[in-house]
Amino acid sequence: MNNISKQDSIRGSFFSAIVADALCLGSHYEYDAKKIYKAYGEKPIEKFMSPGEMMGGMTHGIGWGEQNYHPGKKAGGTTDYGDYNILILEHLATITEPPRAFEVQRILPHWMNRLEHSWGSWICTMTKETYAQVKKGVPAQNLGGYSNATAIRHVAAHGYYEDEEVLVDVAKKAMFTHKETHALGGAEFFARVTNRVIDGKNPREAIEEVAILMGGFFEDKVRQAISKYEEESNPESDLSKEQFSDDLALTSMARLWDVGRSEPIKVGKASPTEGTLPGSVYFILKYANKEDGLKLALQANAMVGGDNASRGIMIGMVLGAYFGVDAIPSEWKESLDQWEYCEGLLNKLPLLKA
Protein backbone atom coordinates (compact mmCIF):
# COMPACT_ATOMS: atom_id res chain seq x y z
CA MET A 1 0.00 0.00 0.00
CA ASN A 2 1.20 3.50 -0.75
CA ASN A 3 2.10 5.42 2.39
CA ILE A 4 -1.13 7.39 2.81
CA SER A 5 -3.65 7.71 5.62
CA LYS A 6 -7.06 6.08 5.50
CA GLN A 7 -8.66 9.52 5.27
CA ASP A 8 -6.48 10.45 2.30
CA SER A 9 -7.46 7.16 0.69
CA ILE A 10 -11.18 7.85 1.16
CA ARG A 11 -10.85 11.41 -0.13
CA GLY A 12 -8.76 10.15 -3.02
CA SER A 13 -11.43 7.64 -3.91
CA PHE A 14 -14.22 10.20 -4.05
CA PHE A 15 -12.37 13.00 -5.78
CA SER A 16 -10.63 10.74 -8.30
CA ALA A 17 -14.02 9.34 -9.31
CA ILE A 18 -15.43 12.85 -9.79
CA VAL A 19 -12.32 14.08 -11.63
CA ALA A 20 -12.38 11.00 -13.88
CA ASP A 21 -16.01 11.72 -14.70
CA ALA A 22 -15.35 15.42 -15.39
CA LEU A 23 -12.48 14.50 -17.74
CA CYS A 24 -14.99 12.52 -19.78
CA LEU A 25 -17.57 15.30 -20.12
CA GLY A 26 -16.11 16.48 -23.44
CA SER A 27 -15.99 13.03 -25.06
CA HIS A 28 -18.81 11.18 -23.28
CA TYR A 29 -20.64 8.87 -25.72
CA GLU A 30 -18.18 9.51 -28.55
CA TYR A 31 -17.41 5.99 -29.76
CA ASP A 32 -14.61 6.85 -32.18
CA ALA A 33 -11.31 6.88 -30.26
CA LYS A 34 -9.41 8.09 -33.32
CA LYS A 35 -11.75 11.07 -33.61
CA ILE A 36 -11.13 11.96 -29.95
CA TYR A 37 -7.37 11.63 -30.41
CA LYS A 38 -7.38 13.89 -33.45
CA ALA A 39 -9.70 16.46 -31.83
CA TYR A 40 -7.48 16.68 -28.74
CA GLY A 41 -4.34 17.46 -30.72
CA GLU A 42 -3.09 13.88 -31.02
CA LYS A 43 -2.16 13.68 -27.34
CA PRO A 44 -3.89 12.62 -24.10
CA ILE A 45 -6.48 14.98 -22.62
CA GLU A 46 -4.90 17.46 -20.23
CA LYS A 47 -7.79 19.68 -19.09
CA PHE A 48 -11.51 19.52 -18.51
CA MET A 49 -13.63 20.25 -21.57
CA SER A 50 -17.24 21.18 -22.19
CA PRO A 51 -19.55 18.67 -23.92
CA GLY A 52 -18.23 17.92 -27.40
CA GLU A 53 -15.52 20.59 -27.13
CA MET A 54 -13.02 20.31 -30.02
CA MET A 55 -15.51 17.95 -31.70
CA GLY A 56 -18.12 20.38 -32.92
CA GLY A 57 -20.14 20.53 -29.71
CA MET A 58 -21.64 17.05 -30.06
CA THR A 59 -20.62 13.42 -29.66
CA HIS A 60 -21.75 10.36 -31.59
CA GLY A 61 -23.64 8.17 -29.15
CA ILE A 62 -24.14 5.23 -31.47
CA GLY A 63 -27.77 4.23 -31.28
CA TRP A 64 -28.76 7.64 -29.92
CA GLY A 65 -27.35 9.81 -32.65
CA GLU A 66 -25.13 12.87 -32.67
CA GLN A 67 -26.05 15.37 -29.96
CA ASN A 68 -24.95 17.33 -26.90
CA TYR A 69 -25.72 14.86 -24.11
CA HIS A 70 -25.08 17.31 -21.26
CA PRO A 71 -26.53 20.65 -22.43
CA GLY A 72 -26.44 22.30 -19.00
CA LYS A 73 -22.75 21.63 -18.38
CA LYS A 74 -19.44 23.35 -19.08
CA ALA A 75 -15.77 22.46 -18.65
CA GLY A 76 -15.08 21.44 -15.06
CA GLY A 77 -18.57 20.08 -14.59
CA THR A 78 -19.68 16.46 -14.30
CA THR A 79 -21.81 14.05 -16.29
CA ASP A 80 -24.86 12.38 -14.78
CA TYR A 81 -22.57 9.76 -13.17
CA GLY A 82 -20.71 12.44 -11.26
CA ASP A 83 -23.97 14.25 -10.49
CA TYR A 84 -25.41 11.15 -8.86
CA ASN A 85 -22.32 10.70 -6.69
CA ILE A 86 -22.49 14.31 -5.54
CA LEU A 87 -26.21 13.85 -4.84
CA ILE A 88 -25.48 10.87 -2.58
CA LEU A 89 -22.71 12.87 -0.86
CA GLU A 90 -25.16 15.72 -0.20
CA HIS A 91 -27.59 13.25 1.32
CA LEU A 92 -25.01 11.53 3.53
CA ALA A 93 -23.70 14.88 4.77
CA THR A 94 -27.14 15.62 6.25
CA ILE A 95 -27.37 12.40 8.31
CA THR A 96 -24.13 12.47 10.28
CA GLU A 97 -25.66 12.63 13.76
CA PRO A 98 -26.09 9.85 14.58
CA PRO A 99 -24.88 7.60 11.74
CA ARG A 100 -27.79 5.56 10.44
CA ALA A 101 -28.79 3.16 7.70
CA PHE A 102 -29.13 4.38 4.12
CA GLU A 103 -32.78 4.53 3.05
CA VAL A 104 -33.91 5.15 -0.52
CA GLN A 105 -37.17 6.75 0.63
CA ARG A 106 -35.27 9.54 2.37
CA ILE A 107 -33.33 10.58 -0.72
CA LEU A 108 -36.24 10.67 -3.17
CA PRO A 109 -37.44 14.27 -2.47
CA HIS A 110 -33.91 15.64 -2.93
CA TRP A 111 -33.43 13.58 -6.10
CA MET A 112 -36.78 14.72 -7.55
CA ASN A 113 -35.97 18.35 -6.80
CA ARG A 114 -32.59 18.15 -8.51
CA LEU A 115 -34.05 16.44 -11.58
CA GLU A 116 -36.80 19.03 -11.89
CA HIS A 117 -34.74 22.16 -11.30
CA SER A 118 -30.95 21.84 -11.61
CA TRP A 119 -29.77 18.69 -13.39
CA GLY A 120 -28.22 19.80 -16.70
CA SER A 121 -26.86 16.38 -17.60
CA TRP A 122 -28.14 13.49 -19.66
CA ILE A 123 -31.15 11.87 -17.99
CA CYS A 124 -30.90 8.14 -18.60
CA THR A 125 -33.86 5.95 -19.47
CA MET A 126 -33.85 4.27 -16.04
CA THR A 127 -33.89 7.65 -14.29
CA LYS A 128 -36.90 8.72 -16.37
CA GLU A 129 -38.66 5.42 -15.72
CA THR A 130 -38.03 5.59 -11.97
CA TYR A 131 -39.15 9.22 -11.80
CA ALA A 132 -42.46 8.19 -13.40
CA GLN A 133 -42.76 5.32 -10.91
CA VAL A 134 -42.30 7.66 -7.93
CA LYS A 135 -44.94 10.00 -9.36
CA LYS A 136 -47.33 7.03 -9.51
CA GLY A 137 -46.64 6.12 -5.87
CA VAL A 138 -44.59 2.95 -6.44
CA PRO A 139 -42.97 1.91 -3.10
CA ALA A 140 -39.24 2.64 -2.79
CA GLN A 141 -38.31 -1.04 -2.61
CA ASN A 142 -39.98 -1.69 -5.98
CA LEU A 143 -38.44 1.18 -7.95
CA GLY A 144 -36.19 0.80 -10.97
CA GLY A 145 -35.97 -0.82 -14.36
CA TYR A 146 -34.10 -3.71 -15.91
CA SER A 147 -31.10 -1.99 -17.48
CA ASN A 148 -27.82 -3.91 -17.34
CA ALA A 149 -25.81 -0.65 -17.24
CA THR A 150 -23.60 -0.11 -14.20
CA ALA A 151 -24.14 3.32 -12.66
CA ILE A 152 -22.09 3.54 -9.47
CA ARG A 153 -23.22 6.36 -7.19
CA HIS A 154 -22.19 5.47 -3.66
CA VAL A 155 -18.51 6.52 -3.62
CA ALA A 156 -19.04 9.02 -0.77
CA ALA A 157 -20.40 6.19 1.39
CA HIS A 158 -16.82 5.00 1.94
CA GLY A 159 -16.47 8.08 4.15
CA TYR A 160 -19.58 7.15 6.12
CA TYR A 161 -19.61 3.36 6.58
CA GLU A 162 -16.74 0.97 7.25
CA ASP A 163 -18.47 -2.43 7.23
CA GLU A 164 -18.19 -4.04 3.80
CA GLU A 165 -21.62 -5.66 3.85
CA VAL A 166 -23.20 -2.32 4.78
CA LEU A 167 -21.31 -0.64 1.93
CA VAL A 168 -22.62 -3.27 -0.49
CA ASP A 169 -26.16 -2.57 0.71
CA VAL A 170 -25.67 1.18 0.22
CA ALA A 171 -24.06 0.66 -3.22
CA LYS A 172 -27.12 -1.25 -4.41
CA LYS A 173 -29.65 1.12 -2.83
CA ALA A 174 -27.91 4.14 -4.36
CA MET A 175 -28.63 2.51 -7.74
CA PHE A 176 -32.35 2.57 -6.97
CA THR A 177 -33.16 3.28 -10.62
CA HIS A 178 -31.77 -0.15 -11.57
CA LYS A 179 -32.78 -3.64 -10.47
CA GLU A 180 -31.00 -5.85 -13.01
CA THR A 181 -28.66 -8.42 -11.44
CA HIS A 182 -25.45 -7.61 -13.32
CA ALA A 183 -25.85 -3.87 -12.86
CA LEU A 184 -26.32 -4.19 -9.11
CA GLY A 185 -23.52 -6.77 -8.98
CA GLY A 186 -21.19 -4.26 -10.62
CA ALA A 187 -21.93 -1.82 -7.80
CA GLU A 188 -21.28 -4.56 -5.24
CA PHE A 189 -18.02 -5.56 -6.93
CA PHE A 190 -16.51 -2.08 -6.85
CA ALA A 191 -17.82 -1.35 -3.35
CA ARG A 192 -15.98 -4.42 -2.06
CA VAL A 193 -12.81 -3.75 -4.05
CA THR A 194 -12.64 -0.09 -2.99
CA ASN A 195 -13.27 -0.95 0.66
CA ARG A 196 -10.39 -3.43 0.63
CA VAL A 197 -8.03 -0.99 -1.08
CA ILE A 198 -8.90 1.65 1.53
CA ASP A 199 -8.06 -0.97 4.15
CA GLY A 200 -4.59 -1.44 2.66
CA LYS A 201 -4.74 -4.04 -0.09
CA ASN A 202 -3.29 -3.40 -3.53
CA PRO A 203 -5.85 -3.19 -6.34
CA ARG A 204 -5.03 -6.50 -8.03
CA GLU A 205 -5.19 -8.42 -4.76
CA ALA A 206 -8.55 -6.84 -3.91
CA ILE A 207 -9.94 -7.43 -7.40
CA GLU A 208 -8.97 -11.11 -7.45
CA GLU A 209 -10.35 -11.69 -3.95
CA VAL A 210 -13.71 -10.13 -4.75
CA ALA A 211 -13.93 -11.93 -8.10
CA ILE A 212 -13.56 -15.28 -6.33
CA LEU A 213 -16.02 -14.22 -3.61
CA MET A 214 -18.71 -13.23 -6.12
CA GLY A 215 -17.94 -16.00 -8.64
CA GLY A 216 -19.80 -16.74 -11.86
CA PHE A 217 -20.24 -13.82 -14.24
CA PHE A 218 -18.03 -11.53 -12.16
CA GLU A 219 -15.17 -13.98 -11.84
CA ASP A 220 -15.35 -14.65 -15.59
CA LYS A 221 -15.24 -10.93 -16.42
CA VAL A 222 -12.27 -10.31 -14.13
CA ARG A 223 -10.42 -13.26 -15.61
CA GLN A 224 -11.09 -11.82 -19.05
CA ALA A 225 -9.76 -8.39 -18.00
CA ILE A 226 -6.60 -9.87 -16.45
CA SER A 227 -5.92 -11.86 -19.60
CA LYS A 228 -6.37 -8.78 -21.80
CA TYR A 229 -4.18 -6.64 -19.51
CA GLU A 230 -1.42 -9.27 -19.65
CA GLU A 231 -1.71 -9.50 -23.43
CA GLU A 232 -1.50 -5.71 -23.88
CA SER A 233 1.42 -5.36 -21.48
CA ASN A 234 3.43 -8.08 -23.22
CA PRO A 235 5.81 -6.25 -25.62
CA GLU A 236 5.83 -9.31 -27.89
CA SER A 237 2.06 -9.26 -28.48
CA ASP A 238 0.43 -7.77 -31.56
CA LEU A 239 -1.95 -5.80 -29.33
CA SER A 240 0.89 -4.03 -27.51
CA LYS A 241 2.18 -2.70 -30.83
CA GLU A 242 -1.12 -1.05 -31.79
CA GLN A 243 -1.37 2.74 -31.41
CA PHE A 244 -4.92 2.43 -30.04
CA SER A 245 -4.25 -0.66 -27.95
CA ASP A 246 -6.57 0.36 -25.09
CA ASP A 247 -9.45 0.91 -27.48
CA LEU A 248 -8.86 -2.48 -29.11
CA ALA A 249 -8.49 -4.15 -25.73
CA LEU A 250 -11.89 -2.92 -24.56
CA THR A 251 -13.77 -3.64 -27.78
CA SER A 252 -12.26 -7.12 -28.04
CA MET A 253 -13.70 -8.13 -24.66
CA ALA A 254 -17.36 -7.98 -25.65
CA ARG A 255 -19.98 -9.03 -28.17
CA LEU A 256 -21.62 -6.84 -30.78
CA TRP A 257 -24.75 -5.08 -29.54
CA ASP A 258 -27.40 -4.26 -32.12
CA VAL A 259 -29.19 -1.37 -30.44
CA GLY A 260 -31.70 -1.15 -33.28
CA ARG A 261 -31.34 2.57 -33.98
CA SER A 262 -28.36 3.06 -36.24
CA GLU A 263 -25.33 0.78 -36.26
CA PRO A 264 -24.27 -2.03 -33.90
CA ILE A 265 -21.53 -1.31 -31.39
CA LYS A 266 -19.17 -3.39 -29.31
CA VAL A 267 -20.40 -3.56 -25.74
CA GLY A 268 -16.85 -3.23 -24.43
CA LYS A 269 -17.17 0.56 -24.74
CA ALA A 270 -20.86 0.88 -23.95
CA SER A 271 -22.79 1.04 -20.67
CA PRO A 272 -23.63 -2.64 -19.94
CA THR A 273 -21.77 -4.19 -17.02
CA GLU A 274 -20.37 -6.93 -19.25
CA GLY A 275 -18.22 -4.22 -20.86
CA THR A 276 -17.72 -1.56 -18.20
CA LEU A 277 -16.55 -3.99 -15.51
CA PRO A 278 -13.72 -5.73 -17.41
CA GLY A 279 -12.84 -2.45 -19.14
CA SER A 280 -12.43 -0.69 -15.80
CA VAL A 281 -10.48 -3.59 -14.30
CA TYR A 282 -8.18 -3.52 -17.34
CA PHE A 283 -7.31 0.14 -16.77
CA ILE A 284 -6.88 -0.32 -13.02
CA LEU A 285 -4.45 -3.21 -13.48
CA LYS A 286 -2.53 -1.48 -16.26
CA TYR A 287 -1.83 1.69 -14.27
CA ALA A 288 -1.82 0.60 -10.60
CA ASN A 289 1.94 0.08 -10.54
CA LYS A 290 3.03 3.03 -12.67
CA GLU A 291 4.38 6.37 -11.55
CA ASP A 292 1.61 8.92 -12.07
CA GLY A 293 -0.64 5.88 -12.53
CA LEU A 294 -3.79 7.68 -11.42
CA LYS A 295 -3.38 10.53 -13.90
CA LEU A 296 -2.40 8.21 -16.75
CA ALA A 297 -5.33 5.86 -16.13
CA LEU A 298 -7.91 8.66 -16.07
CA GLN A 299 -6.49 10.15 -19.27
CA ALA A 300 -6.37 6.80 -21.07
CA ASN A 301 -9.95 5.99 -20.09
CA ALA A 302 -11.26 9.32 -21.33
CA MET A 303 -9.45 8.92 -24.66
CA VAL A 304 -11.12 5.58 -25.43
CA GLY A 305 -14.59 7.17 -25.40
CA GLY A 306 -17.90 5.32 -25.34
CA ASP A 307 -19.41 5.36 -21.87
CA ASN A 308 -16.07 6.46 -20.45
CA ALA A 309 -17.76 8.35 -17.61
CA SER A 310 -19.24 5.15 -16.19
CA ARG A 311 -15.84 3.46 -16.30
CA GLY A 312 -14.22 6.61 -14.93
CA ILE A 313 -16.15 6.37 -11.66
CA MET A 314 -14.96 2.78 -11.14
CA ILE A 315 -11.36 3.41 -12.16
CA GLY A 316 -11.20 6.61 -10.14
CA MET A 317 -12.65 5.17 -6.95
CA VAL A 318 -10.23 2.23 -6.86
CA LEU A 319 -7.04 3.94 -8.01
CA GLY A 320 -7.90 7.07 -6.02
CA ALA A 321 -8.18 4.92 -2.90
CA TYR A 322 -4.81 3.41 -3.73
CA PHE A 323 -2.83 6.51 -4.65
CA GLY A 324 -4.62 9.01 -2.35
CA VAL A 325 -6.03 12.47 -2.93
CA ASP A 326 -2.62 14.11 -3.40
CA ALA A 327 -2.04 12.07 -6.57
CA ILE A 328 -4.68 14.13 -8.36
CA PRO A 329 -2.91 16.79 -10.47
CA SER A 330 -3.25 20.25 -8.93
CA GLU A 331 -4.52 21.75 -12.19
CA TRP A 332 -7.48 19.36 -12.14
CA LYS A 333 -8.15 20.04 -8.48
CA GLU A 334 -8.17 23.77 -9.12
CA SER A 335 -10.42 23.63 -12.19
CA LEU A 336 -13.03 21.10 -11.01
CA ASP A 337 -16.21 23.13 -10.49
CA GLN A 338 -17.37 21.59 -7.24
CA TRP A 339 -14.12 20.63 -5.50
CA GLU A 340 -14.48 23.03 -2.56
CA TYR A 341 -18.19 22.35 -2.28
CA CYS A 342 -17.66 18.57 -2.14
CA GLU A 343 -14.71 18.94 0.23
CA GLY A 344 -16.92 20.79 2.71
CA LEU A 345 -19.52 18.02 2.54
CA LEU A 346 -16.94 15.21 2.82
CA ASN A 347 -15.58 16.79 6.00
CA LYS A 348 -19.00 16.24 7.62
CA LEU A 349 -18.88 12.47 7.12
CA PRO A 350 -18.11 10.36 10.21
CA LEU A 351 -14.85 8.86 8.92
CA LEU A 352 -13.52 12.19 7.64
CA LYS A 353 -14.32 14.60 10.43
CA ALA A 354 -11.21 16.49 11.51
Side-chain angles (χ1 to χ4, degrees):
M1 176 68 182
N2 295 337
N3 189 25
I4 56 172
S5 70
K6 188 167 184 175
Q7 289 190 328
D8 280 347
S9 180
I10 294 169
R11 287 191 172 91
S13 182
F14 180 82
F15 277 120
S16 296
I18 299 301
V19 164
D21 175 77
L23 274 177
C24 295
L25 181 65
S27 59
H28 194 207
Y29 295 134
E30 176 53 61
Y31 277 82
D32 188 341
K34 293 178 182 177
K35 178 182 172 183
I36 297 170
Y37 181 70
K38 188 173 180 181
Y40 289 0
E42 300 189 347
K43 61 183 187 298
I45 186 170
E46 295 169 344
K47 63 185 177 98
F48 299 128
M49 297 196 195
S50 58
E53 185 175 338
M54 314 296 288
M55 291 185 282
M58 296 188 290
T59 50
H60 190 149
I62 293 178
W64 300 98
E66 191 106 6
Q67 61 173 296
N68 177 354
Y69 287 88
H70 306 286
K73 295 304 181 82
K74 60 181 178 60
T78 46
T79 79
D80 47 314
Y81 293 102
D83 291 347
Y84 261 113
N85 275 284
I86 293 170
L87 180 87
I88 298 298
L89 169 61
E90 289 170 339
H91 176 67
L92 290 171
T94 68
I95 59 170
T96 52
E97 299 292 347
R100 65 165 182 252
F102 185 91
E103 299 171 55
V104 173
Q105 188 63 45
R106 290 181 180 273
I107 202 170
L108 292 178
H110 180 40
W111 172 70
M112 300 279 278
N113 183 59
R114 284 285 296 278
L115 278 178
E116 291 166 355
H117 301 294
S118 61
W119 198 244
S121 296
W122 173 251
I123 299 177
C124 71
T125 305
M126 292 302 97
T127 294
K128 291 176 183 174
E129 190 172 314
T130 305
Y131 179 86
Q133 290 171 345
V134 174
K135 285 287 194 183
K136 290 177 186 171
V138 173
Q141 65 270 23
N142 296 334
L143 293 174
Y146 289 94
S147 166
N148 58 1
T150 301
I152 290 177
R153 301 164 179 167
H154 74 278
V155 186
H158 292 277
Y160 196 99
Y161 306 99
E162 291 184 273
D163 182 270
E164 189 168 298
E165 299 310 317
V166 173
L167 282 162
V168 167
D169 180 61
V170 176
K172 291 180 175 180
K173 286 178 177 174
M175 271 182 68
F176 59 89
T177 57
H178 293 59
K179 51 186 175 184
E180 195 271 340
T181 305
H182 289 165
L184 294 175
E188 173 179 347
F189 180 85
F190 284 99
R192 292 189 186 279
V193 169
T194 302
N195 183 58
R196 294 175 190 216
V197 173
I198 288 170
D199 282 343
K201 293 200 164 148
N202 71 60
R204 178 155 185 171
E205 183 182 12
I207 284 167
E208 290 181 334
E209 279 183 2
V210 175
I212 292 168
L213 174 70
M214 294 183 68
F217 169 86
F218 300 96
E219 189 171 8
D220 289 345
K221 285 287 149 189
V222 168
R223 192 180 298 117
Q224 185 182 29
I226 291 171
S227 175
K228 191 59 62 176
Y229 151 67
E230 290 176 343
E231 178 188 352
E232 197 276 341
S233 61
N234 176 5
E236 301 301 313
S237 72
D238 290 339
L239 180 60
S240 72
K241 297 178 176 69
E242 292 282 350
Q243 181 181 4
F244 295 92
S245 61
D246 289 339
D247 183 57
L248 290 168
L250 264 65
T251 54
S252 68
M253 286 194 284
R255 64 192 168 93
L256 276 176
W257 182 32
D258 186 356
V259 289
R261 291 183 176 82
S262 53
E263 62 264 56
I265 61 173
K266 289 188 175 179
V267 173
K269 289 171 68 167
S271 309
T273 307
E274 66 182 276
T276 56
L277 191 149
S280 299
V281 169
Y282 165 86
F283 280 117
I284 291 165
L285 295 176
K286 180 172 177 177
Y287 292 101
N289 296 315
K290 293 190 177 180
E291 189 174 350
D292 282 338
L294 177 64
K295 177 183 178 181
L296 294 171
L298 303 193
Q299 288 176 311
N301 172 62
M303 296 301 290
V304 165
D307 196 356
N308 47 8
S310 173
R311 298 189 310 266
I313 297 291
M314 307 177 211
I315 297 163
M317 67 192 292
V318 175
L319 288 182
Y322 185 59
F323 287 107
V325 70
D326 290 339
I328 299 172
S330 58
E331 61 269 24
W332 295 350
K333 175 180 177 179
E334 290 158 9
S335 54
L336 184 74
D337 272 359
Q338 299 191 78
W339 185 289
E340 289 184 2
Y341 172 68
C342 291
E343 193 165 48
L345 295 174
L346 281 170
N347 287 337
K348 296 180 180 180
L349 303 187
L351 302 180
L352 295 175
K353 284 186 174 179

